Amino acid sequence: MARHISVGIDIGSHHVKVVIAEEVKDGERIVPKILGTGSAETRGLRKGFIVDVGEVSRSVRSALDKAEKASGVEVKRAFVSVGGVGLGSTLATGSVAVSRADLEVTNLDIENAHEAAEAVIPQALSLNRKVINTIPVEVKLDGKTVLSRLEGMRGSKLDVRVLFVTCLEHHLEDLIRAVEGAGVEVVDVVAAPVAASFVILSKKQKRAGCLLINIGAETTSLVVFENSNPLSLEVFEIGGSDVTNDIALGLKTTLEEAESIKLGSLTRTDYPKKKLDDIIGNRLSDMMEFISGHLKKIGRHQLLPAGVILTGGGSALYGLKEFVEGELKLPARIGSIHFGDDEKISNKDLPWSTAYGLAIFGFNADNEQNSVGQHGVERVVKGGHKGFLTLSRWISKFLP
C-alpha cells in the first residue's frame, strides 16, 4: 500500500522550515503524523523578496537534507508558502446566467462566475500580479445564499463573491525556481497566513469571526475570517526584528542581548523597565496602527467575536497579548498548533505554524471531491514548466 506523505516548505525571512508528515491509520481513523522536520538560515531573501535565487535554493536544500535525514524520506514534491510584502488580496463579485436549459448548476458555471469576478479586479490591483489562491466567500443562486454544495442545484442566476489572494508575479516565479533548484517539484503554493490558519484556528473561531496575526522576523501578516472563510489578507513591512533593533539601540546593547530582553529572558543587561516598555510599546503601536487601519477599512474594527489569535516567532514577545487587547479592543490569545493527535508540538513551535499548515493542506489537496467551486490558475515559468496554483473551498473544514 502506497504511503500518503505530504511535505510543506515555508521560506521565511530568517529561516527555511520543512515539515514531512504522513497519514497513518489509528484504529478506525486516519491521522497525520510528523516524520521529520528541518530548518536552515535563509539566505538571498529580503522582506520576503528573493534577491538571490541560488542562495535561496541552497537554503532550501539544507533544510530539506535535515528533514530527509530525520524522516528517512526523500522529498520529490512539496507545497510551498508565499509571504512577504508582495502578498495581498482583493474581494470581487461576479455574476453569470446558468448555462443549462434545465437550469442545473454545473462546475462550468461556477468557474465562469469566478472568472467574471476576476475580470472586474481593477488594473491597479492586478498589474504585475498573479492570482495564487481563489477563495469563495459568498455564493448566491437567484439572490439566495447557498451554504451547501452548489453543483447540481437549479436556478437561473449565479452570483459569487470571491477573495483573490495575489502575489507579485516575478517574486512567485523566483520562489518556484528557487525550490525547483533544490531538486523539488512545487505542487502548489498557498499564502503563508492562510496556511498557518489550517493548524492554528478552530472551526468555531473562523465561523464566529476572528483575526489571525502572524508576526514574522521582517513582516507581519494578517488574515480575517468570518463565516468560516477568509475575508481579507494583508502584509505589513514591520516585524519582530524591528523590535529587537529598537531595543538594541535604545538600551545600547547587542542584538543577541536585545533578543533575550525582548522575550523576557534573564540577561546581563541592567535597564529601566519603563524605558524598555516605552521602546517596545512605540514599535508595537506602529504595528497595531496598521492593523487597526485595515480592520476599519474592511468594516471589522472591534467586530470580531472570536478576537485575535497571535502566531509566528514574534508572538513570543513578553506582554504582547495584553498590549494587543488594549490597542485593538478585542480579546487576544497566543495561538497553539493542532496537528492530528501529536502532543509534542508546543507554543515554542509557533514559528513553524505555516510549514505544519502546508503539510495539512497537502493531505487534502489531492482529493478532487473536496475541490468544490474552484478553478486553477495556470502559471507558466521560464523553461516551460507548468503548475496549477489553487486553493479549495474546503478551507473551512480544516482541523481543529
Side-chain angles (χ1 to χ4, degrees), residues 10-15 17 45-50 81-88 171 191-193 212-223 233-243 245 262 283-284 286-288 290-291 310-315 320 351 354:
D10 174 31
I11 303 175
S13 297
H14 274 199
H15 289 90
K17 304 177 187 70
L45 208 69
R46 176 65 178 166
K47 298 289 184 182
F49 289 114
I50 293 178
S81 68
V82 178
V85 292
L87 195 65
H171 171 63
L212 177 65
I213 301 177
N214 191 327
I215 304 175
E218 297 183 348
T219 61
T220 294
S221 61
L222 63 84
V223 58
L233 179 150
E234 191 60 84
V235 181
F236 303 109
E237 194 173 337
I238 184 172
S241 293
D242 294 297
V243 178
N245 294 341
K262 181 181 75 173
R283 181 61 71 173
L284 288 182
D286 292 340
M287 184 186 296
M288 293 304 114
F290 285 130
I291 294 172
L310 300 157
T311 188
S315 64
L320 178 63
T354 297

